[in-house]
């Protein structure tokens, strides 16, 4: 019996023409049938405040519920000033609460960073990994994905070049195994 894994995809850029969003959409299109990539919009999330922890806004409840409909989380993020964009950190903080009950706890995850620069968002990628350790998410160690000069990897139709697509197909196969290993039967 084949199992389809649902993967919440959280993109760390709100830009309409975001390369990271394009990478996420391209991956959703070529992902195997056994892996369904569901992009979750974080644009309308409020700034996290511990004041509303007992009674969070509806958009926060909806966001947490949407993540909970999935088996795993894939983060696709740019690097801002050698770290994680604030909007992404805010989304993770929101999904990490209430304390010890956050929806992300224990969910298998993976991180992709993409930048127009040469270093492929290495700094953001590893800052995010540090954050996700505290959320108790098992994060795929390998393959690491740092997509440098990402603007040159996508065509006008939002498709990735063949070499990058092949690499990301292998990444998705590893991620699928990682999800299986880290999912309770
Ligand atoms: C505030 C800000 C800070 C940035 N800092 C970095 C950086 O530290 N490293 C890097 O490689 N690119 C940096 N960039 C460039 C981004 O890689 C580039 O804008 C990229 O296209 C953003 O991702 P997106 O296309 O998904 O929105 C920065 C861009 C912005 C707006």
């Amino acid at each position: 019996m084949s199992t389809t894994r649902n993967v919440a995809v959280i993109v760390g850029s709100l830009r309409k023409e975001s390369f990271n969003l394009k990478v996420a959409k391209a991956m959703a299109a070529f992902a195997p049938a056994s892996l369904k990539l569901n992009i979750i919009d974080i644009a309308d999330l409020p700034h996290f405040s511990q004041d509303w922890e007992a009674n969070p806004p509806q958009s926060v409840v909806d966001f947490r519920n949407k993540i909970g409909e999935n088996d795993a989380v894939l983060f696709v993020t740019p690097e801002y000033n050698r770290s994680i964009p604030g909007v992404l950190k805010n989304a993770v903080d929101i999904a990490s609460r209430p304390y010890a009950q956050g929806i992300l706890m224990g969910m298998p995850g993976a991180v992709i960073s993409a930048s127009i620069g040469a270093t492929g968002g290495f700094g953001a990628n590893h800052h995010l990994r540090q954050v996700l350790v505290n959320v108790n998410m098992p994060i795929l160690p390998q393959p690491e994905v740092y997509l440098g000069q990402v603007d040159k990897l996508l065509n006008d139709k939002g498709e990735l070049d063949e070499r990058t697509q092949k690499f990301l197909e292998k990444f998705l196969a590893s991620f699928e195994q990682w999800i299986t290993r880290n999912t309770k039967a």
Side-chain angles (χ1 to χ4, degrees):
M1 194 185 74
S2 66
T3 311
T4 299
R5 303 288 189 190
N6 275 289
V7 177
V9 182
I10 300 180
V11 176
S13 171
L14 306 186
R15 202 167 72 85
K16 287 188 183 63
E17 292 297 318
S18 161
F19 295 118
N20 282 273
L21 179 60
K22 286 178 184 174
V23 168
K25 284 183 174 170
M27 290 180 71
F30 62 68
S34 51
L35 221 48
K36 191 166 177 293
L37 269 53
N38 307 306
I39 297 171
I40 298 183
D41 194 0
I42 62 170
D44 293 330
L45 286 177
H47 288 157
F48 176 78
S49 167
Q50 219 175 338
D51 282 343
W52 42 249
E53 280 215 287
N55 188 19
Q58 192 57 42
S59 60
V60 164
V61 174
D62 292 345
F63 174 63
R64 289 172 176 163
N65 287 343
K66 268 190 212 157
I67 293 175
E69 289 164 9
N70 292 273
D71 304 294
V73 184
L74 172 63
F75 297 90
V76 185
T77 187
E79 175 175 274
Y80 281 0
N81 297 309
R82 298 286 178 261
S83 188
I84 315 162
V87 289
L88 178 56
K89 180 63 163 56
N90 184 57
V92 172
D93 289 344
I94 285 174
S96 75
R97 303 296 289 192
Y99 178 70
Q101 295 165 42
I103 193 69
L104 292 176
M105 264 189 67
M107 282 182 91
V111 176
I112 289 176
S113 56
S115 159
I116 56 173
T119 51
F122 177 89
N125 192 307
H126 283 268
H127 279 186
L128 182 56
R129 285 172 185 268
Q130 177 180 324
V131 168
L132 298 175
V133 166
N134 195 57
V135 184
N136 203 17
M137 292 183 77
I139 300 297
L140 178 70
Q142 292 284 343
E144 296 157 85
V145 184
Y146 316 105
L147 300 176
Q149 300 191 316
V150 64
D151 49 322
K152 299 190 175 67
L153 306 180
L154 289 152
N155 67 19
D156 291 347
K157 288 188 246 166
E159 296 160 335
L160 286 157
D161 67 43
E162 200 183 330
R163 186 164 157 264
T164 308
Q165 180 169 329
K166 286 236 152 53
F167 171 54
L168 290 175
E169 281 170 357
K170 281 191 191 156
F171 161 85
L172 285 175
S174 299
F175 188 30
E176 191 173 350
Q177 286 175 6
W178 183 252
I179 295 169
T180 302
R181 269 175 64 183
N182 288 283
T183 300
K184 289 190 192 95

